[in-house]
Amino acid sequence: MINMLFSQYNFHESWAKDTVAKYINSNDKILIIPFSFDNKISDCQDWENAYSRDKGKFYKSIFTPFMDFGVQEENINWINYFKDTKEEAKGKIRNSNIIFFTGGFPEKSMERLKEFDLIEEIRNFSGVIIGSSAGAMIQIAEYHITPDEDYQIFSYNEGLNLIKNFDIEVHYEGNEVQKCYINKVLNEKTDTVYAITDTGGIIVDHQKVVLLGDTRKFSRQ
């Protein structure tokens, strides 16, 4: 399994493209798992308005980086939370080369993955897993949430346990709140936290960690 962690849907830009291109082929089958949406998406129509090809407001931003690597739209599939069954979702994973987790609310993504019984399916996946923001966070064994406009309190949360030897801070801006909680995580949980800015990323290729763009390493003192 190859893991890619980003803050934004911009891994096709110059700071990442040459390296990421080694892992994405134009004929790859891509599966988008948009499970991190909030309660504003409550039915199939809401889902279509968010993610469908014809009118989804998030469709273009999610599809654009893959298009830039030559992937055709017909090679991109989605798990529809409101339409797909558990077995259909599992089948889509098994028929894909690359899984992409969208940004949003990581704990909601984990809840829905458990609801669909997809945790072990994903842990056994042998291809490339890419995630942005929340989609990057859930790949960590135990990720943390730093207080911001969406979350009032700090918390540790169970992730997919795909990455065990470090934690990440997404959307890193270098502010004092982020630095404070990075130090907290270093003191309590792990020896290493990678801070990923909005033009940064990480590739974990069979234990080899490659930093892309503006990504910074913080280590326990």
Side-chain angles (χ1 to χ4, degrees):
M1 180 188 296
I2 310 297
N3 299 87
M4 299 191 191
L5 316 173
F6 302 101
S7 284
Q8 299 283 4
Y9 303 152
N10 57 357
F11 49 91
H12 59 301
E13 294 179 355
S14 59
W15 54 268
K17 186 171 184 177
D18 288 348
T19 305
V20 174
K22 299 173 184 177
Y23 300 94
I24 300 178
N25 298 311
S26 59
N27 59 348
D28 279 333
K29 302 293 185 181
I30 315 293
L31 177 64
I32 312 297
I33 306 183
F35 274 10
S36 55
F37 54 84
D38 62 16
N39 295 332
K40 294 177 183 177
I41 298 177
S42 60
D43 58 28
C44 195
Q45 186 59 57
D46 291 339
W47 193 97
E48 293 284 334
N49 290 337
Y51 302 115
S52 71
R53 177 177 179 177
D54 295 331
K55 54 187 176 181
K57 62 180 179 180
F58 302 124
Y59 181 89
K60 184 177 180 181
S61 60
I62 294 169
F63 171 68
T64 292
F66 294 107
M67 179 181 67
D68 214 55
F69 290 109
V71 178
Q72 301 299 307
E73 281 187 281
E74 57 264 29
N75 285 339
I76 295 183
N77 205 348
W78 301 68
I79 294 180
N80 186 324
Y81 175 78
F82 298 98
K83 278 188 175 181
D84 289 323
T85 66
K86 292 180 181 180
E87 290 308 311
E88 286 169 339
K90 290 177 182 179
K92 288 181 178 182
I93 290 175
R94 294 168 188 166
N95 289 324
S96 300
N97 307 109
I98 296 173
I99 291 172
F100 181 74
F101 291 115
T102 56
F105 295 85
E107 79 286 359
K108 293 185 181 298
S109 186
M110 287 298 300
E111 289 170 6
R112 291 164 180 143
L113 290 170
K114 290 176 182 177
E115 179 185 343
F116 271 67
D117 192 28
L118 297 179
I119 303 296
E120 287 304 312
E121 198 73 44
I122 291 166
R123 287 174 178 168
N124 293 327
F125 184 72
S126 60
V128 177
I129 295 182
I130 306 173
S132 293
S133 193
M137 295 164 69
I138 64 170
Q139 296 182 55
I140 307 298
E142 186 179 23
Y143 67 90
H144 74 275
I145 294 177
T146 295
D148 60 12
E149 60 186 16
D150 293 316
Y151 296 93
Q152 293 184 349
I153 61 172
F154 175 89
S155 63
Y156 292 112
N157 304 269
E158 178 190 6
L160 289 167
N161 200 31
L162 306 180
I163 296 171
K164 303 175 178 65
N165 55 352
F166 64 82
D167 196 357
I168 60 172
E169 178 80 20
V170 295
H171 303 296
Y172 182 69
E173 299 176 344
N175 60 57
E176 292 306 313
V177 172
Q178 290 174 319
K179 290 179 180 178
C180 172
Y181 287 106
I182 286 173
N183 287 330
K184 178 178 174 66
V185 174
L186 290 171
N187 288 330
E188 296 177 350
K189 292 292 183 178
T190 185
D191 292 334
T192 304
V193 175
Y194 289 107
I196 306 173
T197 70
D198 284 353
T199 54
I202 302 170
I203 297 176
V204 182
D205 184 346
H206 299 94
Q207 305 304 313
K208 179 183 178 182
V209 177
V210 178
L211 304 185
L212 303 174
D214 189 3
T215 301
R216 308 173 198 184
K217 180 179 181 181
F218 291 84
S219 301
R220 182 178 295 174
Q221 299 299 316

